[in-house]
Amino acid sequence: HLWSTPTGQAWASTSWPKAFAKVVELAEMKDVVTYDLRKHACSQILRRLSARDAIRFTGHKTVEMLIRVYAYAMEE
């Protein structure tokens, strides 16, 4: 999954927002939300891997869901 700890476990939904906010603050970035980063990462993964392989990294349940959300990445 894209949102996992260094040990590979999924982040608890209450623990990562504070860490992400701190990174954004330290980087002096504005208007950046976690979905922006996830969308970019998923798009790059889908461009480089088959959709079936990409779902392992993105956490999507089905290839159909992944393609529906990121179809534009496959067209570029």
Side-chain angles (χ1 to χ4, degrees):
H1 294 282
L2 291 178
W3 303 118
S4 60
T5 66
T7 61
Q9 293 189 313
W11 279 88
S13 61
T14 57
S15 64
W16 64 265
K18 288 181 183 176
F20 180 78
K22 186 65 175 175
V23 168
V24 169
E25 178 187 334
L26 291 171
E28 298 179 358
M29 300 168 72
K30 296 183 181 186
D31 301 324
V32 175
V33 295
T34 55
Y35 184 74
D36 294 337
L37 299 178
R38 178 177 169 77
K39 184 177 177 182
H40 178 73
C42 288
S43 298
Q44 295 302 310
I45 289 169
L46 191 53
R47 285 184 182 128
R48 289 168 174 73
L49 300 175
S50 71
R52 293 223 179 266
D53 290 335
I55 63 172
R56 288 187 319 146
F57 293 100
T58 63
H60 289 88
K61 300 263 186 227
T62 65
V63 170
E64 291 78 17
M65 181 184 291
L66 176 71
I67 291 172
R68 186 179 73 234
V69 175
Y70 299 103
Y72 69 89
M74 297 176 75
E75 296 170 2
E76 295 177 359

